[in-house]
Amino acid sequence: MKVTKRGIVAAGAIALVSTLSLAGCSPATSGDSAESDGGTLTVWVDAERVDALQGAADAYQEKTGVTVKLVGKSVDDMKDDFIQQVPTGKGPDVVMGAHDWLGELSTNGVVAPLELGDSASDYLPVALQAATYDGTVYMLPYAVENIAVLRNADLVPTAPTSFDDMISKGAFVVEQGAEGNPYHLYPFQTASGAPVFGTDDSGGYDATDLQLGGDGGYAFADWLSAQGAAGTLNTDIDGEIAKQQFLDGTAAFWLTGPWNVGPAIDAGINVAIDPIPSPTGETASPFAGVKGFFVSSESKNKVAANDFLVNFIGTEDVQLELFEAGNLLPALTAAADTAAADPIIAGFQAVGAEAVPMPAIPAMGAVWQFWGVAEAAIINGADPATTWQKLVDDVTAAIK
């Protein structure tokens, strides 16, 4: 199916986007921060999304009399600055960020629980799961991001039915590199029955239940070895090489995220978005990254902050404004369904329905440290059983 160059948003969806009027005022600079004075909410946001939120800020002030001061910040500095400033009382009332910050934010005691009330059921399940840590909701989600298969529909008109079917239809590329890339390979690992962690009674990840070492993990290691021997997976293929091979038509399939759809469309590729084909017949579940807003534990105006997030940011209009600013699937189900009028967005939404949140628990850091290196070694010919066992042993020791 053809999409327009802008095509990540269908014309029909654009017409439905937001009725909030943007004030057009200049954002505060990234150096600004202030304590809440009872009549002001200071909100740190990605500098590229200030305009998308200005209408909500103005509407909230008009309704409540509370001024919402939007402060444009670099995403590279936002988390660390927030953690450092909150204990001093000089940080913001609200900060925009990623769900996988939650473990660190919670450990540092800098975020307050969020009361979603009845609106909790209005969000995509994976978004709500990602917003929850130790059974408590801490984040108002606004966007969900996951990988899927980009298919050159001019080279392969129909979606494959399995991994082997995909390989038979055309060349497949996925970013790896010398140290591997387990994020991109995780769907195949879950299809083998080897999630990183099990879950507890609340649905959160349980650091004491490492599941890499089960039978599924060793089956996945054997599969990696076979794919490396066949040349299907190659650590010489980094992100740029994978992109170029898809853009020049060498590869018909590319496992990647929505951030690479634009370059493919710009290159004139007739892009279709496919589910991730399973090598086992079981569901191939990628990681989902969820973006949202957190309330500072030291905010002097937590009630207003909660109200602003739940009743203004958590509306279809505002979530679609944020979608327009970043082309990421909205976390609110109604907004996601509206955005999915575009087939590209609909494709990522369908794959995202099978996604699982990337673990935000601190123990995940011990996994990343060893995971990719082990996978790369197996792809390059190392014994799969002994290499995978070493991965499990290293991670277990690091977590303890």
Side-chain angles (χ1 to χ4, degrees):
M1 65 200 79
K2 287 283 187 182
V3 291
T4 62
K5 180 176 178 180
R6 189 177 181 213
I8 313 297
V9 186
I14 296 171
L16 293 171
V17 170
S18 177
T19 57
L20 290 174
S21 60
L22 296 179
C25 60
S26 300
T29 63
S30 61
D32 291 340
S33 62
E35 296 185 19
S36 172
D37 60 12
T40 300
L41 288 177
T42 300
V43 182
W44 285 1
V45 301
D46 176 352
E48 296 180 356
R49 288 168 174 78
V50 172
D51 287 346
L53 291 169
Q54 192 63 59
D58 293 344
Y60 191 72
Q61 180 172 348
E62 182 178 351
K63 181 176 180 180
T64 66
V66 176
T67 299
V68 179
K69 180 182 179 183
L70 300 177
V71 180
K73 295 274 289 183
S74 166
V75 293
D76 295 333
D77 304 324
M78 197 132 47
K79 181 182 70 172
D80 290 344
D81 287 354
F82 182 70
I83 290 172
Q84 292 168 9
Q85 291 195 31
V86 166
T88 72
K90 295 182 180 179
D93 298 281
V94 174
V95 64
M96 173 185 281
H99 89 272
D100 58 353
W101 296 4
L102 252 177
E104 189 174 358
L105 297 182
S106 178
T107 299
N108 282 278
V110 295
V111 286
L114 195 67
E115 297 294 334
L116 291 180
D118 293 341
S119 70
S121 61
D122 296 337
Y123 291 87
L124 297 172
V126 71
L128 186 62
Q129 185 181 358
T132 304
Y133 190 79
D134 282 345
T136 300
V137 176
Y138 285 98
M139 185 181 76
L140 190 288
Y142 79 84
V144 178
E145 186 174 54
N146 54 265
I147 59 175
V149 171
L150 274 61
R151 171 169 49 89
N152 185 329
D154 287 336
L155 296 179
V156 182
T158 59
T161 58
S162 68
F163 186 85
D164 289 343
D165 184 44
M166 177 179 69
I167 299 305
S168 72
K169 290 180 182 296
F172 162 75
V173 288
V174 57
E175 175 182 340
Q176 284 301 286
E179 295 186 352
N181 191 311
Y183 170 82
H184 281 87
L185 296 184
Y186 194 60
F188 307 124
Q189 184 171 322
T190 56
S192 299
V196 176
F197 296 108
T199 55
D200 56 27
D201 292 340
S202 70
Y205 288 108
D206 182 357
T208 68
D209 185 16
L210 185 68
Q211 296 196 358
L212 287 172
D215 291 344
Y218 295 99
F220 174 64
D222 287 340
W223 181 83
L224 282 179
S225 179
Q227 300 311 310
T232 306
L233 298 178
N234 187 338
T235 59
D236 290 337
I237 304 294
D238 61 13
E240 286 304 311
I241 293 173
K243 176 190 287 188
Q244 189 56 50
Q245 290 193 2
F246 186 76
L247 298 187
D248 65 20
T250 302
F253 302 96
W254 182 19
L255 180 57
T256 189
W259 53 86
N260 275 320
V261 172
I265 292 172
D266 288 344
I269 303 295
N270 181 9
V271 177
I273 306 299
D274 291 342
I276 300 169
S278 173
T280 66
E282 300 299 322
T283 301
S285 297
F287 280 135
V290 179
K291 300 180 185 297
F293 297 84
F294 305 95
V295 175
S296 166
S297 60
E298 297 299 319
S299 170
K300 294 180 173 64
N301 212 343
K302 291 187 181 71
V303 173
N306 197 100
D307 180 41
F308 175 63
L309 293 185
V310 173
N311 296 312
F312 284 75
I313 303 300
T315 62
E316 183 176 357
D317 286 339
V318 175
Q319 296 240 334
L320 285 168
E321 288 283 4
L322 288 163
F323 166 68
E324 278 280 89
N327 290 323
L328 296 180
L329 180 74
L332 192 71
T333 302
D337 290 344
T338 297
D342 182 278
I344 296 292
I345 296 298
F348 279 104
Q349 182 183 25
V351 177
E354 303 290 353
V356 294
M358 187 182 298
I361 56 177
M364 189 63 190
V367 180
W368 291 119
Q369 183 179 355
F370 305 104
W371 198 10
V373 173
E375 290 187 350
I378 293 170
I379 290 169
N380 287 328
D383 180 74
T386 56
T387 305
W388 198 261
Q389 183 63 56
K390 185 177 187 304
L391 165 66
V392 174
D393 292 344
D394 288 341
V395 171
T396 299
I399 291 175
K400 289 181 178 179

